[in-house]
Amino acid sequence: MSMIQDLDQVVRTVLPTDPSFRGIGRADIDRHINEARQNALANAKDEFLLSLMRLLALPGNGHTRLIPNAAIPVLPLRFVTIGTAVRLLDAAPGFAGGIGGELTSINGVPVGEIEAAAKGFLAGTRQRKRVIGPILFAWPGALQRLGVLSGSDTIEYRMRDATGRISELVLDTANRVPGSAFYPRNEHGKADASWSPKSFLEIKDFGEPGLLLVLPSFFDPGGTSLSSAVSGAADLVRSRPDTPLLVDVRGNTGGNFLLTKPLIDAISEGAEDRGTGLLVDKFTFSAAIVFVAILKHRLGARLRLIGEEMGDGLTFFAEGGTIGLSSSGAVVRYSSAFHDWAGGRIDETTPGEIAEEIVPVGTLELDRTWIARPDDPKALDRFCREVLDSLAA
């Protein structure tokens, strides 16, 4: 198998199917296809993958993108954007001293300049780029393409700790590990790249102040575990119709929002003076955003949105599927259906069961900005109590 066959698979399967490409000029598409073809013929794998990233990023639709994680070797550093700062959350033992620090530059090039140069390779909104972009900082092939690395066997990362002290991590470019070891396919923002939710629902009862419901994922291939968790949460919410609620969907990368409808109904049926809050962040995507949108439409001013801007907007293309590129080892995510939860619009690609649910939400403005500190696990409890007290006021 050759990378030309990978490219042909994208051209035959993705481009004709994915409606997000309808607004992209043919000349732009052909130019990027030709660039990818030249890199494939040259057997330049990193360049080929980066060319496909640029091609699939053209529509600006985050659900449509190349996921290189399993196809590339990276330096053993896990960078994640916390707020707007890129931080080192995990590293191989020899470099663990930098964990928690903020990345300020690579080989003397400021992080902001690297992010600006990387924009064309990353699909989706500003926040989604912040979610999927940090893998580029540990991928020597990408750093070379971005003008950060040239002809050297080492890379210097400059880090700033909480006290402002600057330190350097110097890595040999030969010291690489599989990309998927430090960068999960669905980026959740946790320090441990292998993290996965232990359950679909966690409940913390703060007593009179209120309830915290943590919903870490809506992806359940079997369909029964999520439904059971949602049913249990709905029963609890209905049993306490006056109790303030705080629902945490930070890090929830999506799944099937239709399975969450019983909980949406239960929350919506609560007392009219019950306060409800939703915790969201840039790692909140897809079906989790739809969950937020429907609740906002139903509750209006009764709902307080807390955290940071989510990973996608309210108008996007989704559904579709994934294809594995057998030669390069990368994965392509493509879309097939139009969603517009801002204006409540549908088109011929919107599945009927989703079209029945779409409502015009307008915008989702944050009522309060808050970003959890990864080095203070007790901060969430303190903050939840504070928010629940404010919801009861």
Side-chain angles (χ1 to χ4, degrees):
M1 296 289 286
S2 73
M3 288 186 288
I4 286 291
Q5 290 170 300
D6 285 357
L7 176 61
D8 288 345
Q9 196 172 0
V10 171
V11 172
R12 290 195 314 269
T13 303
V14 177
L15 301 186
T17 303
D18 193 324
S20 69
F21 279 93
R22 292 177 181 176
I24 307 301
R26 188 68 229 181
D28 284 341
I29 293 174
D30 288 343
R31 184 172 68 255
H32 286 83
I33 291 174
N34 289 336
E35 179 183 310
R37 180 173 288 111
Q38 293 304 311
N39 288 323
L41 290 170
N43 201 32
K45 182 176 176 180
D46 283 350
E47 289 290 333
F48 173 71
L49 293 175
L50 288 161
S51 297
L52 284 187
M53 289 179 72
R54 283 170 61 91
L55 170 64
L56 294 170
L58 284 176
N61 177 57
H63 287 77
T64 299
R65 60 192 180 96
L66 180 104
I67 304 171
N69 307 34
I72 62 172
V74 300
L75 300 177
L77 303 172
R78 173 158 169 73
F79 292 109
V80 173
T81 307
I82 305 297
T84 59
V86 178
R87 296 193 177 277
L88 183 66
L89 295 193
D90 194 13
F95 309 100
I99 290 177
E102 178 185 352
L103 178 65
T104 63
S105 68
I106 305 176
N107 283 354
V109 182
V111 166
E113 290 185 16
I114 303 172
E115 289 175 325
K119 283 182 179 179
F121 297 91
L122 303 172
T125 65
R126 174 187 61 182
Q127 285 291 72
R128 186 183 278 268
K129 291 176 193 288
R130 286 172 172 160
V131 169
I132 63 177
I135 191 173
L136 301 180
F137 302 142
W139 178 9
L143 292 175
Q144 186 170 5
R145 177 66 179 271
L146 297 172
V148 178
L149 174 65
S150 60
S152 174
D153 293 332
T154 61
I155 301 179
E156 179 186 282
Y157 294 88
R158 180 161 290 192
M159 313 294 301
R160 180 169 52 224
D161 68 15
T163 68
R165 184 177 66 88
I166 299 295
S167 61
E168 289 80 29
L169 299 177
V170 180
L171 281 79
D172 189 319
T173 56
N175 182 18
R176 305 187 195 187
V177 298
S180 54
F182 279 86
Y183 296 90
R185 181 163 145 181
N186 291 318
E187 180 58 73
H188 44 63
K190 305 290 192 301
D192 181 2
S194 65
W195 174 89
S196 62
K198 296 178 181 177
S199 68
F200 287 101
L201 172 67
E202 297 175 25
I203 300 170
K204 182 148 192 179
D205 192 340
F206 288 88
E208 185 177 346
L211 289 169
L212 170 66
L213 305 179
V214 181
L215 303 171
S217 176
F218 294 153
F219 180 70
D220 178 18
T224 57
S225 297
L226 176 60
S227 295
S228 177
V230 166
S231 177
D235 289 344
L236 175 62
V237 168
R238 285 195 173 96
S239 73
R240 296 172 64 173
D242 300 305
T243 299
L245 296 176
L246 185 57
V247 183
D248 187 352
V249 289
R250 293 172 304 138
N252 187 323
T253 59
N256 186 350
F257 80 88
L258 294 170
L259 297 179
T260 72
K261 287 177 60 180
L263 179 56
I264 293 173
D265 291 340
I267 294 173
S268 304
E269 294 162 8
E272 289 201 4
D273 60 349
R274 172 166 70 187
T276 301
L278 277 171
L279 291 178
V280 298
D281 65 6
K282 68 170 66 68
F283 305 100
T284 303
F285 284 109
S286 192
I289 294 178
V290 172
F291 176 85
V292 174
I294 296 174
L295 277 175
K296 182 63 177 179
H297 183 261
R298 293 194 184 183
L299 299 181
R302 293 164 53 198
L303 181 72
R304 297 186 198 175
L305 201 58
I306 303 162
E308 63 174 329
E309 182 183 347
M310 291 182 282
D312 273 325
L314 291 174
T315 303
F316 54 86
F317 296 87
E319 271 60 60
T322 58
I323 56 174
L325 304 182
S326 54
S327 179
S328 64
V331 171
V332 171
R333 177 79 176 85
Y334 67 96
S335 304
S336 62
F338 177 64
H339 289 240
D340 180 16
W341 298 88
R345 298 175 299 149
I346 61 173
D347 69 10
E348 75 281 0
T349 68
T350 313
E353 61 182 359
I354 292 176
E356 292 177 1
E357 304 294 335
I358 285 186
V359 290
V361 178
T363 60
L364 288 174
E365 301 292 338
L366 291 172
D367 296 289
R368 179 174 178 180
T369 300
W370 179 74
I371 297 169
R373 287 179 52 184
D375 60 342
D376 186 1
K378 294 183 180 179
L380 178 60
D381 269 11
R382 295 195 298 270
F383 184 74
C384 288
R385 286 183 180 277
E386 178 190 335
V387 171
L388 287 168
D389 286 342
S390 71
L391 292 174

